[in-house]
Amino acid sequence: LLDQAKLASGSAATLIKRILNFSRQARSSQRVKVDLGRIAIETTALISSSLPYRVELSLDVDDDLPPVLADAGQIQQVLLNLCTNGVHAIGDANGEIRVRLAHREFGGADGRPVPPGCKPGAYVCLSVSDTGCGMDAATLKRVFEPFYTTKAPGKGTGLGLSIVRDIMAVHEGSLDVSSAPGAGTDFMLYFPVASVVAAPV
């Protein structure tokens, strides 16, 4: 029992350290004008090299994406967390993870509806979709709660998606998700467009 308590306290200490580290990073976030397309290309190339053979990762980036104010390291963390979740959702089956970046205008003359949490205006939409098992309505309601996970013990901490949510809050963006059992999951992240040409990452 003492050994189990020692292991449990060690795990708790590790989780708390991760939370504190992220909190410090969020407060010191270095947001500059960046090209999300460049970040996505570099990050997905790194992720692809470690994916299981049964999972295909694709990337589609609109031409001439406008810059956004962002911390490149935190955007890489977002992509890593969402793609890792996609791999876990696909499991032992063959599947695909699709990353897309597109320029979107909401609330303008074309009548395109404004996504939840967004104001009318211009955004870069980063979407990460997987062909995995999907989520039911009850799971979907809790998906961003810290420490909530449907993974087996030792397979996840339940912090990945809550960190994604917090990063989007730091970036003054919006986050939406849609899913259904057997139909995969789509995460849509909306970053407000910056006004000047992007600086090098």
Side-chain angles (χ1 to χ4, degrees):
L1 287 177
L2 286 174
D3 287 340
Q4 291 176 349
K6 188 175 180 180
L7 286 172
S9 63
S11 298
T14 300
L15 289 176
I16 291 169
K17 188 179 294 183
R18 288 182 185 176
I19 294 169
L20 291 173
N21 284 340
F22 174 73
S23 297
R24 282 191 289 269
Q25 290 168 10
R27 285 195 298 272
S28 61
S29 174
Q30 299 297 316
R31 294 172 61 206
V32 296
K33 294 180 179 68
V34 297
D35 177 358
L36 284 186
R38 289 276 302 277
I39 297 173
I41 289 169
E42 294 169 2
T43 307
T44 53
L46 290 172
I47 294 172
S48 293
S49 64
S50 62
L51 286 178
Y53 70 91
R54 63 184 181 277
V55 178
E56 180 183 348
L57 176 61
S58 64
L59 174 64
D60 182 19
V61 180
D62 276 4
D63 294 330
D64 299 322
L65 278 180
V68 303
L69 283 175
D71 182 309
Q74 291 186 355
I75 302 306
Q76 290 174 331
Q77 182 72 57
V78 164
L79 278 169
L80 178 62
N81 287 5
L82 293 178
C83 288
T84 299
N85 266 28
V87 171
H88 290 160
I90 291 168
D92 294 329
N94 293 328
E96 182 183 3
I97 297 171
R98 298 180 298 274
V99 179
R100 299 187 183 94
L101 277 163
H103 183 200
R104 294 284 184 262
E105 298 272 353
F106 299 112
D110 61 0
R112 180 175 285 170
V114 181
C118 291
K119 299 176 182 178
Y123 291 82
V124 173
C125 176
L126 167 62
S127 65
V128 180
S129 308
D130 67 66
T131 58
C133 58
M135 294 178 279
D136 58 25
T139 302
L140 206 53
K141 285 182 180 179
R142 303 187 61 189
V143 72
F144 296 114
E145 288 182 17
F147 303 109
Y148 176 74
T149 180
T150 58
K151 297 170 187 172
K155 296 294 185 180
T157 61
L159 287 174
L161 291 179
S162 66
I163 287 174
V164 170
R165 179 201 59 192
D166 292 345
I167 288 174
M168 290 307 296
V170 168
H171 284 73
E172 301 174 16
S174 177
L175 172 62
D176 196 16
V177 57
S178 62
S179 186
T185 301
D186 299 304
F187 288 94
M188 285 75 66
L189 292 75
Y190 300 97
F191 295 86
V193 166
S195 56
V196 188
V197 179
V201 176

